[in-house]
Amino acid sequence: MRGLMIGRFQPFHLGHLELAKIILRECDELIICITSLQFNYMEKDPFTAGERIQMIHESLKEEHFDLSKCYVLAIENQFNIATWASYLRSSLPKFDRVYSGNDYVRMLLSDSGLEVIKPNFLNREKYNATSIRKLISENSDWKQLVPKAVADNIIKFNGIQRIQTILTSDTKPTEY
Amino acid sequence: MRGLMIGRFQPFHLGHLELAKIILRECDELIICITSLQFNYMEKDPFTAGERIQMIHESLKEEHFDLSKCYVLAIENQFNIATWASYLRSSLPKFDRVYSGNDYVRMLLSDSGLEVIKPNFLNREKYNATSIRKLISENSDWKQLVPKAVADNIIKFNGIQRIQTILTSDTKPTEY
Amino acid sequence: MRGLMIGRFQPFHLGHLELAKIILRECDELIICITSLQFNYMEKDPFTAGERIQMIHESLKEEHFDLSKCYVLAIENQFNIATWASYLRSSLPKFDRVYSGNDYVRMLLSDSGLEVIKPNFLNREKYNATSIRKLISENSDWKQLVPKAVADNIIKFNGIQRIQTILTSDTKPTEY
Amino acid sequence: MRGLMIGRFQPFHLGHLELAKIILRECDELIICITSLQFNYMEKDPFTAGERIQMIHESLKEEHFDLSKCYVLAIENQFNIATWASYLRSSLPKFDRVYSGNDYVRMLLSDSGLEVIKPNFLNREKYNATSIRKLISENSDWKQLVPKAVADNIIKFNGIQRIQTILTSDTKPTEY
Amino acid sequence: MRGLMIGRFQPFHLGHLELAKIILRECDELIICITSLQFNYMEKDPFTAGERIQMIHESLKEEHFDLSKCYVLAIENQFNIATWASYLRSSLPKFDRVYSGNDYVRMLLSDSGLEVIKPNFLNREKYNATSIRKLISENSDWKQLVPKAVADNIIKFNGIQRIQTILTSDTKPTEY
Amino acid sequence: MRGLMIGRFQPFHLGHLELAKIILRECDELIICITSLQFNYMEKDPFTAGERIQMIHESLKEEHFDLSKCYVLAIENQFNIATWASYLRSSLPKFDRVYSGNDYVRMLLSDSGLEVIKPNFLNREKYNATSIRKLISENSDWKQLVPKAVADNIIKFNGIQRIQTILTSDTKPTEY
């Protein structure tokens, strides 16, 4: 049985990592599906799909996951949300169970015959990508909230400066 | 002569129905053009194009419209708005007159040689799709504002729960 | 129960009309779904979606169909064919049965729980849109193969000249 | 050496004109690249690409620029911003230097080996497209902020009324 | 009055140049509209939009055209051809007359109130982009068929090798 | 150092597998990039991206690759080929070396500073996806040309029947 977790992972944090561990305990294989493949260098989506794939892959590796049981993949967002479940199935290896605390995701998958599991997340106040991006932009105390491989790569990608530049630019990035 | 009315119809309400009646009195045939075909399961666009078509068709039927004089059709939105009038013409049967109280629509059609009529709407405060969606989310007193076929279908489509789920979800639907 | 027939209908011919009659005898309602909404003025797709909708609607009307039981709708083609069944469902009123002699369509809908019926077509050699377009381009004996409303509209739309111009143009239309 | 300046130019104003003059003093040729080609008739993008090209071309002409050294071109916006520099290069004549005061643009071009120059703008409070559009909508004192050719064309295009209609319409243009 | 000529210009040749001269004799200004902006590095479209713009601009310059009367612009192709005339108008400065020997273009513009002129081309057998690309790929006697600025730039862009590589590659470029 | 191999992998065969082994001997990590993510159920692209990812992942696993050193990822095709190298970089983890025997790919990456290596392929006549798809459609002797995991999955996905249905359908799939 394959278990699926879905997110933008901007960035992948310790709450996500914890969920990945839970899924691999309960399923044979894990799929981590990164959404919004086509977006990057924007306020809510600072990192490219390639960067996010690399950060997650290396996080799993440093935590000694058996990578032969893991898929880390990225997909584009769909405008026609009613076709989203179908798009997921065409883009990913066959999956049987979805882990999501989001009622909206649950609704979209409700007709698909998939099992949707509500996970017990780590402290959601603390492990929250929006607030982590804010901490990164202020360069204050964010490294403890993400896997070491994520922190190292954000530094390597000039991620702090990138997020600051996006936030402070007087022209909105989408205008270019 | 064919008369055209245009809207998202999220949902189709008694004000819209009244306008449809007026058009069929003044023209030979009626086109109801549903916009934003590609959007659904979002705050301002909860219902799919298929659901909206069905709700409008059944509303006309229960009101004893002569359906052989009516077209209920859906089209996608266009980014390049300057081509919108042309896109309308390529997607719909030939029409001669547009009923719209919207100055913006009037401007977009102004070079096209079409007659644009400003209709006398029913009470716009009351018959307003935005406030009807709000009432649906609170499940309070919305059924009297829409045709019976619309109310019945919204119940059948789990529309109340759908709108509530969209509104309360902590993740924005467009992120998936 | 709603029965669905699908095609490009370039143009709608007597074979299609016959199938529409069969469906309305066997189902409560009929959906005629026109594909390739976005294509027109091309060799295989000379007519716009709007023109095709109008021609089919008027054909049903002149044959005394009860239009309150009929939906004539157009949808765009999808690149990601694996999501096609899902796109159909989001774009059309709910349907239960699909009439198609095409094994490919049958395969695409096979996982959807829909009943797919193989219709007995009229003489397929004779009633075939490709050969009808060829006859139109030569202006020889095509009118007897389509409903009168289709023939009248093709004349009205300058369809013969349009098809001839597309075929003889030295530049391929897709280059513009 | 070709110098590049980039913007939406909604509308092109005297600050932009000044920068164009500076570039032609420092480089052999000038490229003015208009972004958001596909957007128009919207609050932040009232004018079409064609209108903007014409207004800028005529502004340069009335200021006696040597047009044989100038390119005025429009490009679409890209969703995948990480490919933007590459898209610029495929859409424009080869350029060597970019004039931009925007740190965000500088970041996007940083890996491309291009020289990015921070220009000394004219008074940015005064020469600012957002506030000029606001002044146009109020029809107060905007003509002195733009080249004469821009002012004349905005009048000719019914631009004042267009901006007012966009701003006051109760339906958002993107819904059509 | 502005006169328009339209083409892919892969590459711009002496027949095109001759037409540009004719238009500038008969009209006040000239627009050269390059189509298929988004295609390049393909068999029928080897050069990018930027390269084509540059080659045409420099050809006009070396032939002493008054560039203040010329627009050299690129646009994308449209799938929905019925909206093409409208897309042209939104993307280009206002034009009144189109020079085209193509009946297909004439048909698409026929409802637009534009004057369409059939030009007397130079020898079309000889001045033909398809056969010129073939000659380039064989590196035989093509330079005499294009303006000097085009020939020089094709050499500078490694155009001969590019076309050869595209033609001989065992994988079709569109697969990447 | 990461080495990259690119293809549609319809299907992944023993020649591809051999190349993957070579890359992992010469580089620290391997990226297998599957193109044409958005296409499936077509003659040249019968399998979905998800199916292809799964088949390749399982092939590497059964051949005892260290999956912690491997990325198996899918990307969409781009119309604007001149931006392809940039799109690759935004979609994949950072790579330094590309293995490709295709001169066209080499040309597209030539300006990017990447090392492009021409691999010694296994017998290309024999290990060729086009001829393998033909053999699958005839169900003759194809299993020996692909990894066991690929053969098993093609059976499980009803791939033989799928390819036969695509080939024999009288309507081209792209028309739906």
Side-chain angles (χ1 to χ4, degrees):
Chain A
M1 191 176 62
R2 279 193 201 94
L4 171 66
M5 61 186 280
I6 305 168
R8 289 190 295 116
F9 305 118
Q10 292 278 16
F12 188 78
H13 56 56
L14 292 177
H16 297 133
L17 181 67
E18 182 63 23
L19 178 56
K21 286 178 180 169
I22 291 168
I23 295 177
L24 261 191
R25 279 200 295 270
E26 300 181 357
C27 303
D28 302 312
E29 297 194 330
L30 161 70
I31 303 174
I32 299 182
C33 176
I34 302 169
T35 58
S36 63
L37 156 56
Q38 77 266 50
F39 295 116
N40 48 62
Y41 283 84
M42 296 174 75
E43 186 172 336
K44 294 182 62 176
D45 285 292
F47 300 108
T48 68
E51 289 167 343
R52 288 177 276 164
I53 290 167
Q54 183 175 336
M55 288 193 278
I56 295 173
H57 183 101
E58 295 183 1
S59 296
L60 301 185
K61 196 167 173 174
E62 81 185 0
E63 291 287 321
H64 308 297
F65 278 62
D66 177 353
L67 267 296
S68 74
K69 297 182 174 173
C70 301
Y71 293 87
V72 180
L73 300 166
I75 63 171
E76 298 208 346
N77 296 5
Q78 297 296 295
F79 281 116
N80 185 333
I81 296 177
T83 66
W84 185 69
S86 164
Y87 175 65
L88 269 190
R89 273 194 296 266
S90 78
S91 306
L92 303 176
K94 193 169 184 326
F95 52 93
D96 319 88
R97 190 186 268 183
V98 183
Y99 288 74
S100 171
N102 188 318
D103 289 335
Y104 185 80
V105 168
R106 194 183 312 277
M107 173 176 65
L108 293 180
L109 300 177
S110 65
D111 297 332
S112 61
L114 292 165
E115 194 184 359
V116 184
I117 303 283
K118 196 162 202 152
N120 288 320
F121 275 112
L122 284 182
N123 185 338
R124 291 201 77 165
E125 293 298 306
K126 191 172 169 191
Y127 296 106
N128 175 290
T130 303
S131 58
I132 290 172
R133 287 196 304 277
K134 188 163 182 305
L135 290 172
I136 294 174
S137 76
E138 301 159 351
N139 202 6
S140 67
D141 259 2
W142 58 275
K143 289 184 192 166
Q144 66 190 49
L145 302 170
V146 298
K148 183 171 180 307
V150 169
D152 289 350
N153 273 304
I154 287 179
I155 302 297
K156 198 166 69 186
F157 299 149
N158 274 327
I160 300 171
Q161 193 193 342
R162 187 189 303 177
I163 289 175
Q164 288 170 344
T165 301
I166 294 170
L167 288 177
T168 60
S169 170
D170 58 343
T171 311
K172 288 288 192 325
T174 47
E175 288 171 11
Y176 286 98
Chain B
M1 191 176 61
R2 279 193 201 94
L4 170 66
M5 60 187 280
I6 305 168
R8 287 190 295 116
F9 306 118
Q10 294 277 17
F12 188 79
H13 56 57
L14 292 177
H16 298 133
L17 182 66
E18 182 62 22
L19 178 56
K21 286 177 180 168
I22 291 167
I23 295 176
L24 261 190
R25 279 199 296 270
E26 301 181 357
C27 303
D28 304 310
E29 296 193 330
L30 161 70
I31 303 174
I32 299 182
C33 176
I34 303 169
T35 58
S36 63
L37 157 54
Q38 76 268 48
F39 295 116
N40 48 61
Y41 283 85
M42 295 174 76
E43 186 171 335
K44 295 183 60 177
D45 286 293
F47 299 109
T48 68
E51 289 167 343
R52 287 177 276 163
I53 290 167
Q54 183 175 334
M55 289 193 278
I56 295 173
H57 183 101
E58 294 184 2
S59 296
L60 302 185
K61 195 167 175 175
E62 81 184 0
E63 290 287 322
H64 309 296
F65 278 63
D66 178 353
L67 267 294
S68 75
K69 296 181 176 174
C70 302
Y71 293 86
V72 181
L73 299 165
I75 63 171
E76 298 208 348
N77 297 4
Q78 297 296 297
F79 280 116
N80 185 333
I81 296 177
T83 66
W84 184 70
S86 164
Y87 176 65
L88 270 189
R89 273 195 296 267
S90 78
S91 307
L92 303 176
K94 194 171 183 324
F95 53 92
D96 320 88
R97 189 186 271 185
V98 182
Y99 287 75
S100 172
N102 189 318
D103 289 335
Y104 186 80
V105 167
R106 192 184 313 276
M107 173 177 64
L108 293 181
L109 301 177
S110 64
D111 298 331
S112 61
L114 292 164
E115 193 184 1
V116 184
I117 303 285
K118 196 162 203 152
N120 289 319
F121 275 112
L122 282 183
N123 186 337
R124 292 202 74 165
E125 294 296 307
K126 191 173 168 191
Y127 297 106
N128 174 291
T130 303
S131 58
I132 291 172
R133 286 197 304 278
K134 187 163 182 304
L135 290 172
I136 294 175
S137 76
E138 301 159 350
N139 203 5
S140 69
D141 259 2
W142 58 276
K143 289 185 191 165
Q144 67 189 47
L145 302 169
V146 298
K148 185 172 177 307
V150 169
D152 290 351
N153 273 304
I154 286 178
I155 302 297
K156 199 166 68 186
F157 299 149
N158 275 326
I160 301 172
Q161 194 192 341
R162 187 189 304 178
I163 290 175
Q164 289 171 343
T165 301
I166 294 170
L167 289 176
T168 60
S169 170
D170 58 343
T171 311
K172 288 290 193 324
T174 47
E175 289 173 10
Y176 287 99
Chain C
M1 191 176 62
R2 278 192 200 95
L4 170 66
M5 60 186 279
I6 306 167
R8 288 189 293 116
F9 306 118
Q10 293 279 17
F12 188 77
H13 56 58
L14 293 178
H16 297 131
L17 182 66
E18 183 63 21
L19 178 56
K21 286 177 181 170
I22 291 168
I23 295 176
L24 261 191
R25 279 199 295 270
E26 301 181 356
C27 304
D28 303 312
E29 295 194 333
L30 162 70
I31 303 174
I32 298 181
C33 175
I34 302 169
T35 58
S36 64
L37 157 54
Q38 77 266 52
F39 294 116
N40 49 60
Y41 283 85
M42 296 173 77
E43 187 172 334
K44 295 181 62 176
D45 285 293
F47 300 107
T48 68
E51 289 167 344
R52 288 178 276 164
I53 290 166
Q54 184 175 333
M55 289 193 277
I56 295 173
H57 183 101
E58 294 184 1
S59 297
L60 302 184
K61 196 168 174 175
E62 81 185 359
E63 290 287 321
H64 308 297
F65 278 62
D66 178 353
L67 267 297
S68 75
K69 296 180 175 173
C70 301
Y71 292 87
V72 181
L73 299 167
I75 63 170
E76 298 207 348
N77 296 5
Q78 297 296 296
F79 281 116
N80 186 333
I81 296 177
T83 65
W84 184 69
S86 164
Y87 176 65
L88 270 189
R89 274 195 296 268
S90 79
S91 306
L92 303 176
K94 195 172 181 324
F95 52 94
D96 321 86
R97 190 186 270 185
V98 183
Y99 287 75
S100 171
N102 189 318
D103 289 334
Y104 186 80
V105 167
R106 193 183 312 276
M107 173 176 64
L108 294 179
L109 301 176
S110 64
D111 298 331
S112 62
L114 292 165
E115 195 183 358
V116 183
I117 303 284
K118 195 162 203 151
N120 288 320
F121 274 112
L122 280 183
N123 186 339
R124 293 201 76 165
E125 294 297 306
K126 192 172 169 190
Y127 297 105
N128 173 291
T130 303
S131 58
I132 291 172
R133 287 197 304 277
K134 187 164 182 303
L135 290 171
I136 295 175
S137 76
E138 300 158 352
N139 203 5
S140 68
D141 260 2
W142 58 275
K143 288 185 192 165
Q144 66 191 47
L145 302 170
V146 298
K148 185 173 179 306
V150 169
D152 289 351
N153 273 305
I154 287 178
I155 302 298
K156 199 166 69 185
F157 299 149
N158 275 325
I160 300 171
Q161 195 193 341
R162 187 190 302 177
I163 289 175
Q164 289 171 343
T165 301
I166 294 170
L167 288 177
T168 60
S169 170
D170 58 342
T171 312
K172 289 289 191 326
T174 46
E175 290 171 9
Y176 285 98
Chain D
M1 190 176 61
R2 280 192 199 96
L4 171 66
M5 60 186 281
I6 306 167
R8 288 189 296 116
F9 305 117
Q10 293 278 14
F12 187 79
H13 55 57
L14 293 176
H16 298 132
L17 182 66
E18 182 62 22
L19 178 56
K21 287 177 180 169
I22 291 168
I23 295 177
L24 261 190
R25 279 200 295 270
E26 301 181 357
C27 304
D28 303 311
E29 296 194 331
L30 161 70
I31 303 174
I32 299 182
C33 176
I34 302 170
T35 58
S36 63
L37 156 56
Q38 76 267 51
F39 295 116
N40 48 61
Y41 283 86
M42 296 174 75
E43 187 171 336
K44 295 182 61 175
D45 286 293
F47 299 109
T48 68
E51 290 167 343
R52 287 177 276 163
I53 290 167
Q54 184 176 333
M55 289 193 279
I56 295 173
H57 183 102
E58 295 183 1
S59 297
L60 302 185
K61 196 169 174 175
E62 80 184 1
E63 291 287 322
H64 308 297
F65 278 63
D66 178 353
L67 268 295
S68 76
K69 296 181 175 174
C70 302
Y71 293 87
V72 180
L73 300 166
I75 63 171
E76 299 208 346
N77 297 3
Q78 298 295 296
F79 281 116
N80 186 334
I81 295 176
T83 66
W84 184 69
S86 164
Y87 175 66
L88 270 189
R89 273 194 296 266
S90 77
S91 306
L92 302 177
K94 193 168 184 327
F95 51 93
D96 320 87
R97 190 186 270 183
V98 183
Y99 287 75
S100 172
N102 188 317
D103 290 335
Y104 186 80
V105 167
R106 193 183 312 277
M107 172 177 63
L108 293 180
L109 301 177
S110 63
D111 298 330
S112 61
L114 292 163
E115 194 185 0
V116 184
I117 303 285
K118 196 162 202 151
N120 289 319
F121 275 113
L122 283 183
N123 185 338
R124 293 201 75 166
E125 293 297 307
K126 192 172 169 191
Y127 297 106
N128 174 291
T130 303
S131 59
I132 291 173
R133 287 197 304 276
K134 189 165 181 303
L135 289 171
I136 295 174
S137 76
E138 300 159 352
N139 202 5
S140 68
D141 259 2
W142 58 275
K143 288 184 193 166
Q144 66 189 49
L145 302 170
V146 298
K148 185 173 178 307
V150 169
D152 289 350
N153 273 304
I154 287 178
I155 302 297
K156 198 167 68 186
F157 299 149
N158 274 326
I160 300 171
Q161 193 192 343
R162 187 189 304 178
I163 289 175
Q164 289 170 343
T165 302
I166 293 169
L167 288 176
T168 60
S169 170
D170 58 343
T171 311
K172 289 289 190 327
T174 47
E175 289 172 10
Y176 286 98
Chain E
M1 191 176 61
R2 279 193 200 95
L4 171 66
M5 60 186 278
I6 306 168
R8 289 189 295 114
F9 306 117
Q10 294 279 17
F12 188 77
H13 55 57
L14 293 177
H16 298 133
L17 181 67
E18 183 62 24
L19 179 55
K21 287 177 180 169
I22 291 168
I23 295 177
L24 262 190
R25 279 200 295 269
E26 301 181 357
C27 303
D28 303 312
E29 295 194 331
L30 161 70
I31 303 175
I32 299 182
C33 175
I34 302 169
T35 57
S36 62
L37 156 55
Q38 76 267 50
F39 295 116
N40 49 60
Y41 283 86
M42 296 173 76
E43 186 173 334
K44 295 181 61 176
D45 286 293
F47 300 108
T48 68
E51 290 167 342
R52 288 178 276 164
I53 290 167
Q54 183 175 334
M55 289 192 278
I56 296 173
H57 183 101
E58 295 183 1
S59 297
L60 302 184
K61 196 168 174 175
E62 80 185 359
E63 290 287 321
H64 308 296
F65 278 62
D66 178 352
L67 268 296
S68 75
K69 296 181 175 173
C70 302
Y71 293 87
V72 181
L73 300 166
I75 64 171
E76 298 208 348
N77 296 5
Q78 298 295 296
F79 281 115
N80 186 333
I81 295 177
T83 66
W84 184 69
S86 164
Y87 176 65
L88 270 189
R89 273 194 296 268
S90 78
S91 307
L92 303 176
K94 195 171 182 325
F95 52 94
D96 320 88
R97 188 186 272 184
V98 183
Y99 287 74
S100 172
N102 189 318
D103 290 334
Y104 186 80
V105 166
R106 194 184 311 277
M107 173 177 64
L108 293 180
L109 300 177
S110 64
D111 298 331
S112 60
L114 292 164
E115 193 184 359
V116 184
I117 304 284
K118 195 162 202 151
N120 288 319
F121 275 114
L122 282 183
N123 186 338
R124 293 202 75 167
E125 294 297 307
K126 192 171 168 192
Y127 297 105
N128 173 290
T130 303
S131 58
I132 290 172
R133 287 197 304 278
K134 187 163 181 304
L135 290 171
I136 295 174
S137 76
E138 302 158 351
N139 203 6
S140 67
D141 259 2
W142 58 275
K143 289 185 190 165
Q144 66 190 49
L145 302 170
V146 298
K148 184 172 180 307
V150 169
D152 289 351
N153 273 304
I154 287 178
I155 302 298
K156 198 167 68 186
F157 299 150
N158 274 325
I160 300 171
Q161 194 192 342
R162 188 189 302 177
I163 289 176
Q164 289 170 344
T165 302
I166 294 170
L167 287 176
T168 60
S169 169
D170 58 343
T171 311
K172 290 288 192 327
T174 46
E175 289 171 10
Y176 285 98
Chain F
M1 191 176 61
R2 277 193 201 96
L4 171 66
M5 60 186 279
I6 306 169
R8 288 188 295 115
F9 306 117
Q10 294 279 15
F12 188 78
H13 55 57
L14 293 177
H16 298 132
L17 182 66
E18 183 61 23
L19 178 56
K21 286 176 182 170
I22 292 167
I23 296 177
L24 262 190
R25 278 199 295 269
E26 301 181 357
C27 303
D28 303 313
E29 295 194 331
L30 161 70
I31 303 175
I32 299 181
C33 176
I34 303 169
T35 57
S36 64
L37 156 56
Q38 76 267 51
F39 294 116
N40 48 62
Y41 283 85
M42 295 174 76
E43 187 173 333
K44 293 181 63 176
D45 285 293
F47 300 108
T48 68
E51 290 166 343
R52 287 177 277 164
I53 290 167
Q54 183 175 333
M55 289 192 278
I56 295 173
H57 182 102
E58 295 184 1
S59 297
L60 301 185
K61 196 168 174 176
E62 80 186 359
E63 292 286 321
H64 307 297
F65 279 63
D66 177 352
L67 267 296
S68 74
K69 296 181 174 173
C70 302
Y71 292 87
V72 180
L73 299 166
I75 63 171
E76 298 207 348
N77 296 5
Q78 297 295 297
F79 282 116
N80 186 333
I81 295 177
T83 66
W84 185 69
S86 164
Y87 175 65
L88 271 189
R89 273 195 295 268
S90 79
S91 307
L92 302 177
K94 194 171 183 325
F95 52 94
D96 320 87
R97 189 186 271 184
V98 183
Y99 287 75
S100 171
N102 189 318
D103 289 335
Y104 186 80
V105 167
R106 194 184 312 276
M107 173 177 64
L108 293 179
L109 301 177
S110 64
D111 298 331
S112 61
L114 291 165
E115 193 184 358
V116 183
I117 303 285
K118 196 162 202 149
N120 288 319
F121 274 113
L122 281 182
N123 185 337
R124 292 202 76 165
E125 294 296 306
K126 192 171 169 190
Y127 297 106
N128 174 290
T130 303
S131 58
I132 290 172
R133 287 197 304 277
K134 188 163 181 303
L135 290 172
I136 295 175
S137 76
E138 301 158 352
N139 203 6
S140 67
D141 259 2
W142 57 276
K143 289 184 192 165
Q144 66 190 48
L145 302 169
V146 297
K148 185 173 178 307
V150 169
D152 290 350
N153 273 305
I154 286 179
I155 302 297
K156 198 166 69 185
F157 298 150
N158 274 325
I160 301 171
Q161 195 193 341
R162 188 190 301 177
I163 289 176
Q164 289 170 343
T165 300
I166 293 170
L167 288 177
T168 60
S169 170
D170 58 342
T171 312
K172 289 289 192 326
T174 47
E175 289 172 9
Y176 286 97

